Amino acid sequence: MPDAANSPGARPTLRDVAQRAGVSAMTVTRVLREDSRVSAATRERVLASVAELGYRPNTVARSLRLGRGSGLVGLVVTNLANPFYSRLALGVDSVVGPHGLKTVIGNTRQSVEHERDLVADLVGRRVDGIVVVPAGGDQRHLAQAAAQGVPVVCASRPPVGFPADHVLVDDHGGARDATERLLALGHRRIGFLGPPASVHTSVERLRGYRETLAAAGVAADERYVRQGPVDVAAAEAAAGELLALAEPPTALFCSNNRNTIGAFRAVSRAGLTTALAGFDDFELADMLGLPLSVQSYDSDELGSEAGRLLLDRLRGGARDAPPRRVVLPTRAIQYGTPRPLA
Amino acid sequence: MPDAANSPGARPTLRDVAQRAGVSAMTVTRVLREDSRVSAATRERVLASVAELGYRPNTVARSLRLGRGSGLVGLVVTNLANPFYSRLALGVDSVVGPHGLKTVIGNTRQSVEHERDLVADLVGRRVDGIVVVPAGGDQRHLAQAAAQGVPVVCASRPPVGFPADHVLVDDHGGARDATERLLALGHRRIGFLGPPASVHTSVERLRGYRETLAAAGVAADERYVRQGPVDVAAAEAAAGELLALAEPPTALFCSNNRNTIGAFRAVSRAGLTTALAGFDDFELADMLGLPLSVQSYDSDELGSEAGRLLLDRLRGGARDAPPRRVVLPTRAIQYGTPRPLA
DNA sequence: CTGTTAGCGCCTTCAC
DNA sequence: GTGAAGGCGCTAACAG
């Protein structure tokens, strides 16, 4: 009887295997851990017993006994449906997975409150570490987790009020480059479209945009700045407003791909040739029929870097190293042929 | 000293709290579980002690003691970077999350071997259940997990060789509708583009396409069928081949959005007006400048339905119900104005 | 080479 | 109202 399910739901234990093989539980452990020297004969018997019972060691009990963590890494993001975050998740998982760690997802739906509950839950589950894209400014719960000995790595946004490893994108540099490209084409009336100021990346990208304009001697015009849209529809509306101004911008810098796509829709619908520069690459960007430059980077790299930082704390010697910061560069991609301003 | 980290990494235990409050561990448990009647005074002292130590109950130990599962749901997909799967993940998580279950992700990268290892690992972690999009035809490892008492729910593809709840999309019906739309426009030379026959959905959609053609009295032409492309580049190449035939198809039915996008690129590059019908909606589909009909459905619904089926097995009375099947309908979306064949 | 003892952190059972 | 045992499944540390 290969897999006699004696009582459904009652999974066999180490003891069951031992008893069936006529040895002690300890011996079974040894065989399973390929530990010390066990006689070939015994090993055979034990393995047979394991197979017959369909025994699978209980990792939970094991990790409890060993005093280690649960072999889980918590991943906390605002919206996993966003490919940006799912790639990030994959990046984390691809790095920690080979080390026997599984990734637990936590979706906060932009709510700091959810984030706090999630982190508390993850800490309770004794995750070995947490990778988080903080949803808001209040990060006390993260500080607390870190203080309780759970390594925290922030991705995309820096930790606030406590030390932690973090991985950022070169938001400022990317925004500078994007803006410079528009300036180089002769544009002076350049609009800005991006998420609200509560989003760290948006702040940095806006700063890069402003500083670049200032450095080029272009007067800032706050009418051209729309910090707010988080989805395509809102971005399209906001872009439409800018384009409808008496003296509309001749170019738009869009600080993420939601805004770029929204802007594209608005420009396209209005039948204009407003130049576009954006942050984040996206599929079909090359087929839009408008020249477009984007600042691109792989979000899975954000994840894999975060995973590496975490592993260093867990396995490497970086257990008590001072907090580290990794900044990923962006690279410019030009779609279509840029048109100099007439 | 609010959170004196006595020894970093050594998290306080129930006993520590008890000792500090001058009570027994049992009493602390009671307070935490809001169990029996504990004197208000004791409760106060315990809670204070909890707060001061920053104590967080160890869920791992708890679930071990209670003999329950780990409060985890395993999610096994081939590629989380694909928005299809990340939405599915979110759907699962949104349903099981409110029941205190967390979702653990497992990415198989299309490898059945990885899938087997992953499932084994998840079972070892005593997940309460598994939602899986099976990567291949060999599902013995899933059967085994199910046999060991871990409820398995298949999404997008049915279980093979063992009974299990599953959620499918109406692949056949959607393909029929898509093909009928092309026939209605007067097309008779209709090509098919889709993933290899190892993918269940592809088989069903191809079947729907073939049966619909046959029903309309259109002779099948196997030169027009390309079952293989899994990414945009391969799809574009395959579409290019079809378009380059001596007697090219006047319309293409693409059985997923990778193939639709690839076909669009090929058609667009060739400057043709080949009609397109696809499966799966995708962003910017409306901006492509070609008429296109797609069979759309929400993959998060696949996930949430799967989550519900799983919950029924875990919490509901469906513990030992016969396996159930849920089929989600598709709905047609028309982008642009369809052009009847001249 | 193999077995016994003890206990990870928690909670059910039974006493007081 | 509260506490003392005992054990969930597993494995270090020590026997033998």
Side-chain angles (χ1 to χ4, degrees):
Chain A
M1 249 158 254
D3 60 20
N6 312 322
S7 30
R11 300 216 261 303
T13 127
L14 202 56
R15 293 254 247 281
D16 298 331
V17 176
Q19 198 168 347
R20 197 173 211 296
V23 297
S24 79
M26 201 51 231
T27 302
V28 179
T29 295
R30 291 202 178 99
V31 172
L32 262 39
R33 299 279 138 244
E34 298 169 353
D35 223 16
S36 337
R37 309 118 306 189
V38 185
S39 83
T42 331
R43 188 199 329 280
E44 286 314 309
R45 247 181 320 136
V46 169
L47 289 178
S49 177
V50 164
E52 287 162 24
L53 260 46
Y55 169 75
R56 308 213 56 75
N58 185 332
T59 330
V60 176
R62 182 174 154 74
S63 80
L64 176 61
R65 179 60 242 260
L66 296 184
R68 298 210 224 111
S70 53
L72 295 173
V73 168
L75 174 68
V76 179
V77 298
T78 52
N79 178 17
L80 197 73
N82 183 332
F84 177 89
Y85 295 115
S86 59
R87 283 176 182 283
L88 193 153
L90 214 50
V92 172
D93 193 58
S94 70
V95 168
V96 303
H99 289 257
L101 297 164
K102 287 256 162 312
T103 307
V104 183
I105 61 178
N107 207 64
T108 64
R109 286 175 258 167
Q110 307 279 358
S111 149
V112 177
E113 207 167 315
H114 281 169
E115 183 176 300
R116 192 180 39 239
D117 293 350
L118 259 171
V119 169
D121 181 288
L122 291 171
V123 171
R125 285 173 195 271
R126 295 301 187 265
V127 294
D128 290 336
I130 294 177
V131 173
V132 55
V133 181
D138 185 358
Q139 300 183 0
R140 276 173 298 182
H141 50 292
L142 296 176
Q144 201 179 331
Q148 287 184 16
V150 182
V152 171
V153 177
C154 293
S156 177
R157 303 165 200 183
V160 175
F162 70 105
D165 293 336
H166 52 291
V167 190
L168 303 176
V169 169
D170 184 8
D171 300 303
H172 186 267
R176 181 168 13 90
D177 186 70
T179 310
E180 279 170 355
R181 282 164 188 271
L182 294 174
L183 285 168
L185 292 174
H187 295 285
R188 290 299 176 270
R189 302 205 308 272
I190 302 176
F192 175 94
L193 232 51
S198 57
V199 180
H200 171 259
T201 53
S202 182
V203 173
E204 286 300 297
R205 292 171 192 177
L206 178 56
R207 195 166 64 82
Y209 154 88
R210 283 193 170 130
E211 290 183 12
T212 308
L213 289 187
V218 175
D221 190 331
E222 288 308 313
R223 291 174 308 152
Y224 291 164
V225 174
R226 286 288 191 287
Q227 208 176 7
V230 293
D231 57 34
V232 171
E236 182 173 355
E241 287 172 24
L242 291 184
L243 298 176
L245 289 176
E247 203 175 39
T250 61
L252 294 175
F253 168 51
C254 311
S255 92
N256 70 12
N257 74 34
R258 298 299 84 198
N259 278 279
T260 308
I261 291 177
F264 162 73
R265 302 185 87 97
V267 169
S268 174
R269 204 179 36 172
L272 298 171
T273 58
T274 311
L276 294 177
F279 226 101
D280 307 339
D281 198 7
F282 56 93
E283 180 155 51
L284 291 172
D286 61 323
M287 302 300 279
L288 298 182
L290 282 183
L292 166 67
S293 79
V294 297
Q295 298 293 321
S296 168
Y297 62 95
D298 291 333
S299 56
D300 42 9
E301 233 181 293
L302 268 181
S304 54
E305 277 300 335
R308 262 186 283 279
L309 289 174
L310 191 54
L311 274 179
D312 277 359
R313 298 256 164 217
L314 297 177
R315 304 265 197 274
R319 185 88 217 164
D320 302 302
R324 289 159 300 167
R325 166 194 300 236
V326 173
V327 177
L328 300 180
T330 65
R331 65 175 195 289
I333 300 181
Q334 175 68 47
Y335 292 115
T337 309
R339 278 193 287 259
L341 187 64
Chain B
M1 248 162 255
D3 60 20
N6 313 322
S7 31
R11 299 218 262 301
T13 134
L14 202 55
R15 293 255 248 282
D16 298 331
V17 176
Q19 200 168 348
R20 197 173 211 296
V23 297
S24 79
M26 202 47 239
T27 303
V28 179
T29 295
R30 291 200 177 101
V31 172
L32 261 40
R33 300 278 139 245
E34 299 170 352
D35 225 15
S36 338
R37 310 119 306 192
V38 184
S39 82
T42 334
R43 186 199 331 279
E44 286 313 310
R45 247 179 321 135
V46 169
L47 289 178
S49 177
V50 164
E52 287 162 24
L53 260 45
Y55 169 76
R56 309 207 60 61
N58 185 334
T59 329
V60 176
R62 183 173 152 74
S63 80
L64 176 61
R65 180 60 181 81
L66 296 183
R68 296 210 227 112
S70 53
L72 296 172
V73 168
L75 174 69
V76 178
V77 298
T78 53
N79 177 18
L80 197 74
N82 183 332
F84 176 89
Y85 295 116
S86 58
R87 282 176 184 283
L88 192 153
L90 213 51
V92 173
D93 193 58
S94 71
V95 168
V96 302
H99 289 256
L101 296 164
K102 288 256 161 312
T103 307
V104 183
I105 61 177
N107 206 65
T108 65
R109 287 174 259 165
Q110 307 279 357
S111 149
V112 178
E113 208 167 316
H114 281 170
E115 182 176 301
R116 192 179 41 238
D117 293 349
L118 258 170
V119 169
D121 181 287
L122 291 171
V123 172
R125 285 173 195 271
R126 296 300 187 267
V127 294
D128 290 336
I130 293 178
V131 173
V132 56
V133 181
D138 184 358
Q139 301 184 0
R140 276 173 297 181
H141 51 292
L142 295 176
Q144 201 179 331
Q148 287 184 15
V150 181
V152 171
V153 177
C154 292
S156 178
R157 303 164 199 183
V160 175
F162 71 105
D165 293 337
H166 52 291
V167 189
L168 303 176
V169 168
D170 183 9
D171 299 304
H172 187 267
R176 180 168 13 90
D177 185 71
T179 309
E180 279 170 355
R181 281 163 189 271
L182 293 173
L183 286 168
L185 292 174
H187 295 284
R188 289 300 174 269
R189 303 207 304 273
I190 302 176
F192 175 93
L193 231 50
S198 56
V199 180
H200 171 259
T201 52
S202 182
V203 173
E204 285 301 298
R205 291 170 193 179
L206 177 57
R207 193 167 65 84
Y209 154 88
R210 283 194 170 128
E211 290 184 12
T212 308
L213 289 188
V218 175
D221 191 331
E222 287 309 312
R223 292 175 307 152
Y224 292 163
V225 174
R226 287 288 191 286
Q227 209 176 7
V230 293
D231 57 35
V232 171
E236 181 174 356
E241 288 172 22
L242 292 183
L243 298 177
L245 289 175
E247 204 175 41
T250 60
L252 295 174
F253 167 51
C254 310
S255 93
N256 71 12
N257 74 35
R258 300 296 83 197
N259 278 279
T260 308
I261 291 177
F264 162 73
R265 301 185 87 97
V267 169
S268 175
R269 206 178 36 172
L272 298 170
T273 58
T274 311
L276 294 177
F279 225 102
D280 306 338
D281 198 7
F282 56 93
E283 179 154 52
L284 290 171
D286 60 325
M287 303 299 278
L288 297 181
L290 283 182
L292 166 69
S293 79
V294 297
Q295 298 292 322
S296 167
Y297 61 95
D298 290 332
S299 56
D300 43 8
E301 231 181 295
L302 267 181
S304 53
E305 277 300 335
R308 260 185 285 278
L309 289 174
L310 191 53
L311 275 179
D312 277 0
R313 297 257 164 216
L314 298 177
R315 306 265 197 274
R319 184 89 216 164
D320 301 303
R324 289 159 300 167
R325 165 192 302 234
V326 173
V327 177
L328 300 180
T330 65
R331 67 175 194 289
I333 300 181
Q334 176 69 47
Y335 292 116
T337 310
R339 276 193 287 260
L341 188 63

